[in-house]
Amino acid sequence: MPLTRGQKVAILVGGLAGIGLVGYLVYKYVLPTLAPPTVPTPPTPPTVPTPTPTPPPTPAPGIPVGIRSLGSVTLIQNVGVSVEGTPCAHDWFTWHPQVIRIRYYNEDWSREGLCTATIRFQVVDAASKGVPGVDVWLYTDPMPDGSRYRGVLYLDDAVHTVENPLRKRTDGAGVVSATLTYRYGLGDGFETLCKDTGMQFNVAACLYTQPLPWPTWDQLTPRDGAKVYLEGYEWVPVYVKDKRGGGEAPVTWPNLVHAQIAEVAPTGQTYAREFVYCKFRTRWV
């Protein structure tokens, strides 16, 4: 016999109630005793190696690619002023005047001679290392220079310009050098230089062969080879007195020394130049 509508509703409600009670009991007492599910660990991704860049090729050693200066130079030439002859030296017939003598002196004024300095250049390869055994041309601008004293700069004791360069070979470190000297170029017996450095003296009279402390005349500037006498009274015996002045000249002249790898066209790499700061200094010796 088919179920009535009321019977179907009663069965449905009873089923749901039963399911609800069972679900509650499972949730309350069964699920806590169960272990949580194991989640598998994902695999570690493989390490990707960093690519190493290919190094540039090593330049061939020992091939000259350039030349460079190893520094500027200052060259001061000492000029000493002295007086030759004995004061008031004369006899009954002849008077022997003193003479001004001006000469070059070395660095410490201990002897006559030229002061020197050294200029250096280095030939290098592509790795900036010195290259030995390379010929280099060294030369200056035309001489004399444009200074007030018309100085002349010498390389290895000779004048070398672009028309006749000094040829030198680099040493084991790729360095080439030249010895520098500087000389006065005016033909005035150093008078302009002495005037600029305040070199002066007076002359005083002699009494027979004895110098008198007074009177003094003529404030004079030294000049090499000049005889000492009283202006207008050459026959009156006099001697040098009251020497004063000296020091560095007010003019410093920057001369250039050029260096070029021999037999190679001058470019920004195969050619270099450097300054030599030249001047004079005077004193009584």
Side-chain angles (χ1 to χ4, degrees), residues 176-256:
V176 64
S177 63
T179 300
L180 308 174
T181 52
Y182 191 57
R183 307 184 192 189
Y184 191 81
L186 288 179
D188 65 348
F190 296 94
E191 187 172 7
T192 299
L193 175 63
C194 289
K195 187 177 297 182
D196 288 351
T197 55
M199 297 289 285
Q200 292 183 327
F201 66 93
N202 291 92
V203 295
C206 301
L207 180 61
Y208 295 101
T209 58
Q210 298 300 315
L212 287 174
W214 55 271
T216 61
W217 303 282
D218 285 359
Q219 185 169 293
L220 301 172
T221 298
R223 181 188 177 98
D224 184 48
K227 294 182 179 180
V228 178
Y229 61 89
L230 182 62
E231 186 69 33
Y233 298 89
E234 288 82 355
W235 53 272
V236 176
V238 294
Y239 69 98
V240 172
K241 192 174 182 294
D242 300 332
K243 296 180 290 186
R244 57 195 176 275
E248 290 189 7
V251 176
T252 300
W253 192 260
N255 280 300
L256 280 172

Side-chain angles (χ1 to χ4, degrees), residues 46-154:
T47 302
V48 179
T50 303
T52 303
T54 303
T58 303
I63 299 178
V65 299
I67 186 169
R68 63 188 177 190
S69 165
L70 296 184
S72 61
V73 178
T74 297
L75 176 56
I76 303 176
Q77 177 57 54
N78 292 333
V79 177
V81 183
S82 60
V83 182
E84 285 186 342
T86 304
C88 304
H90 68 94
D91 52 34
W92 290 105
F93 305 102
T94 308
W95 171 51
H96 304 285
Q98 292 179 303
V99 178
I100 300 297
R101 187 173 183 265
I102 304 179
R103 297 290 185 269
Y104 297 117
Y105 277 77
N106 68 341
E107 287 82 358
D108 63 0
W109 300 92
S110 61
R111 58 180 173 80
E112 291 186 16
L114 291 166
C115 298
T116 63
T118 303
I119 194 165
R120 295 177 176 87
F121 296 87
Q122 186 181 36
V123 175
V124 295
D125 60 15
S128 294
K129 294 182 179 180
V131 183
V134 179
D135 285 348
V136 175
W137 289 332
L138 301 171
Y139 53 94
T140 68
D141 293 331
M143 293 291 150
D145 61 28
S147 73
R148 174 173 171 82
Y149 311 116
R150 307 295 289 165
V152 179
L153 181 62
Y154 290 76

